[in-house]
């Protein structure tokens, strides 16, 4: 009887461990997407153990808004990591700060998730990849478009050969402009600082197309990159572009990325044309497709992606616990996002010089 009771308690203990929430800390509160982590009280897969932020105004603002214990807040990143011992950190500061967060977390074997893109420079991206490999951690990059059932559906069409060989892809992302849509003053300061954000619309929204195209082509790098940027609203965006078009040329395909702070309304859509048919991911759950030359265009309405893929923190928790293993060229993963940063850095150089730049093999 005693052995039986011990066995039952042992099983219960194992289950409790398996179901324990992943300890997550936040690094930075300036990024406009940080509110996501405080607005998921219905989910118990993560436990917030610490918040790093050096701006007292933001600390007070978030503590009040989300009823957070002031003991959660730290003004020293290393102290927070050592005292709270998180299993993962979600970075919500400037893009340029991602390298700092990984440098602190990697030696401590703490996994990291950053907001798109991975880094502001290719050198930083390569260092992040090296640190992750040396220390056996995952570094994920969160893109809203990775949550879209429509993008997954289009990729499945490609994998099934229903579109034929990819020939042309057009990715359109953006909105009316960060100031126009009313982002916080802290987030606006990041987005309009070329050092902190890397560029303006070129980075903020050009990164989506670079991520999607690299994912569709399973990590393939383009042969050449041509980019044009402009300031349609220099009185608002004095230091960065608000309009960007990037052309990625591949051996048998071309991708046109349009990242803009000048759209009439917010949009995130993708058009994929093969030599047999086409599919347009209109929004997260709607696809327009034409798979045969004489067939009419049809509209497909999809259910949202299943858990954990509609919530980046659930993805992070499942990756940390081993429930989810990222595919080699997953949209969240380092191989794809290293290439994304290479594309963005090269696009900036192309726009600056007015020349097409050919990538070295």
């Amino acid at each position: 009887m005693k052995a039986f009771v011990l066995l039952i308690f042992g099983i219960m203990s194992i289950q409790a461990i398996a179901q324990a929430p992943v300890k997550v800390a936040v690094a930075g509160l300036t990024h406009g997407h940080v509110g996501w982590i405080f607005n998921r009280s219905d989910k118990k897969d993560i436990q917030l153990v610490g918040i790093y932020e050096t701006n007292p105004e933001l600390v007070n603002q978030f503590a009040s808004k989300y009823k957070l214990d002031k003991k959660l807040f730290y003004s020293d990143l290393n102290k927070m990591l050592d005292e709270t011992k998180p299993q993962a950190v979600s970075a919500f500061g400037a893009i340029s700060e991602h390298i700092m967060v990984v440098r602190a977390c990697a030696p401590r074997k703490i996994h990291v998730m950053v907001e798109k893109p991975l880094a502001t420079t290719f050198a930083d991206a390569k260092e992040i990849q090296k640190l992750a490999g040396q220390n056996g951690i995952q570094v994920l990059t969160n893109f809203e478009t990775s949550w879209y059932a429509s993008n997954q559906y289009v990729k499945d069409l490609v994998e099934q050969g229903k579109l034929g060989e990819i020939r042309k892809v057009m990715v359109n992302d953006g909105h009316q402009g960060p100031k126009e849509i009313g982002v916080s003053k802290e987030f606006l300061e990041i987005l309009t600082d070329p050092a902190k954000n890397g560029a303006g619309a070129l980075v903020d929204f050009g990164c989506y197309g670079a991520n999607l195209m690299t994912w569709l082509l399973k990590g393939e790098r383009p042969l050449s990159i041509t980019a044009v940027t402009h300031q349609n609203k220099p009185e608002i965006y004095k230091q960065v572009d608000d309009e960007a078009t990037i052309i990625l040329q591949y051996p048998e395909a071309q991708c046109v990325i349009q990242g803009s702070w000048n759209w009439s309304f917010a949009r995130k859509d993708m058009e994929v044309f093969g030599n047999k048919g086409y599919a347009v991911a209109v929004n997260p759950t709607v696809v327009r497709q034409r798979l045969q030359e004489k067939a009419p265009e049809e509209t497909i309405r999809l259910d949202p992606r299943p858990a954990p893929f509609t919530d980046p923190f659930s993805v992070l928790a499942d990756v940390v616990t081993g429930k989810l293993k990222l595919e080699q060229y997953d949209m969240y993963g380092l191989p794809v996002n290293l290439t994304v940063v290479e594309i963005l850095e090269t696009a900036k150089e192309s726009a600056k010089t007015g020349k097409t730049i050919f990538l070295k093999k």
Side-chain angles (χ1 to χ4, degrees), residues 151-170:
N151 290 335
Q152 297 294 325
Y153 178 89
V154 172
K155 181 147 189 299
D156 288 343
L157 291 180
V158 173
E159 298 283 331
Q160 295 161 11
K162 293 183 178 179
L163 302 184
E165 297 295 323
I166 293 177
R167 292 289 180 259
K168 187 89 170 180
V169 176
M170 289 176 280

Side-chain angles (χ1 to χ4, degrees), residues 84-334:
T84 66
K85 296 183 170 28
Q87 295 165 267
V89 166
S90 192
F92 284 105
I95 308 304
S96 59
E97 295 172 1
H98 291 172
I99 182 64
M100 172 195 73
V101 174
V102 176
R103 283 172 180 161
C105 291
R108 294 174 168 88
K109 314 299 182 185
I110 299 169
H111 305 282
V112 178
M113 183 169 71
V114 302
E115 286 301 296
K116 56 78 181 173
L118 175 65
T120 54
T121 70
F122 192 40
D124 281 359
K126 288 188 288 188
E127 183 181 346
I128 288 171
Q129 184 188 47
K130 182 179 179 181
L131 286 168
Q134 288 176 338
N135 293 281
I137 67 164
Q138 295 278 355
V139 178
L140 280 59
T141 304
N142 178 44
F143 286 79
E144 181 186 335
T145 42
S146 64
W147 316 344
Y148 289 11
S150 56
N151 290 335
Q152 297 294 325
Y153 178 89
V154 172
K155 181 147 189 299
D156 288 343
L157 291 180
V158 173
E159 298 283 331
Q160 295 161 11
K162 293 183 178 179
L163 302 184
E165 297 295 323
I166 293 177
R167 292 289 180 259
K168 187 89 170 180
V169 176
M170 289 176 280
V171 188
N172 309 299
D173 292 285
H175 47 48
Q176 300 95 314
K179 184 173 182 180
E180 289 84 342
I181 68 170
V183 304
S184 70
K185 64 178 182 180
E186 293 84 7
F187 194 26
L188 183 63
E189 193 270 329
I190 289 173
L191 292 170
T192 55
D193 185 322
K196 292 182 178 181
N197 199 57
L202 182 146
V203 165
D204 189 31
F205 284 112
C207 64
Y208 285 100
N211 179 263
L212 286 165
M213 189 61 175
T214 308
W215 172 63
L216 285 173
L217 296 186
K218 298 181 179 179
E220 185 175 352
R221 296 163 67 240
L223 298 174
S224 67
I225 298 172
T226 309
V228 177
T229 58
H230 193 65
Q231 289 174 305
N232 288 343
K233 297 174 284 194
E235 71 282 0
I236 301 175
Y237 305 111
K238 296 179 176 64
Q239 299 184 71
V240 294
D241 60 282
D242 55 64
E243 190 66 54
T245 298
I246 306 168
I247 301 173
L248 309 180
Q249 186 62 54
Y250 297 84
E252 296 181 339
Q254 185 182 87
C255 178
V256 179
I257 300 167
Q258 297 189 104
S260 176
W261 290 345
N262 292 294
W263 295 113
S264 306
F265 310 104
R267 67 184 298 186
K268 287 187 176 74
D269 52 84
M270 175 178 71
E271 306 170 48
V272 179
F273 293 81
N275 57 6
K276 292 182 180 179
Y278 69 79
V280 180
V282 179
N283 61 40
T285 57
V286 174
V287 173
R288 292 190 289 107
Q289 66 180 33
R290 185 176 171 189
L291 304 183
Q292 296 179 22
E293 184 177 354
K294 296 182 179 180
E297 182 179 89
E298 58 181 330
T299 298
I300 308 298
R301 300 186 185 281
L302 307 163
D303 292 327
R305 293 194 75 190
F309 298 107
T310 52
D311 185 312
F313 306 104
S314 294
V315 170
L316 176 62
D318 281 6
V319 168
V320 169
T321 59
K323 292 180 183 177
L324 176 65
K325 182 176 175 58
L326 296 181
E327 296 178 355
Q328 183 179 4
Y329 297 112
D330 192 278
M331 280 190 281
Y332 276 96
L334 275 175

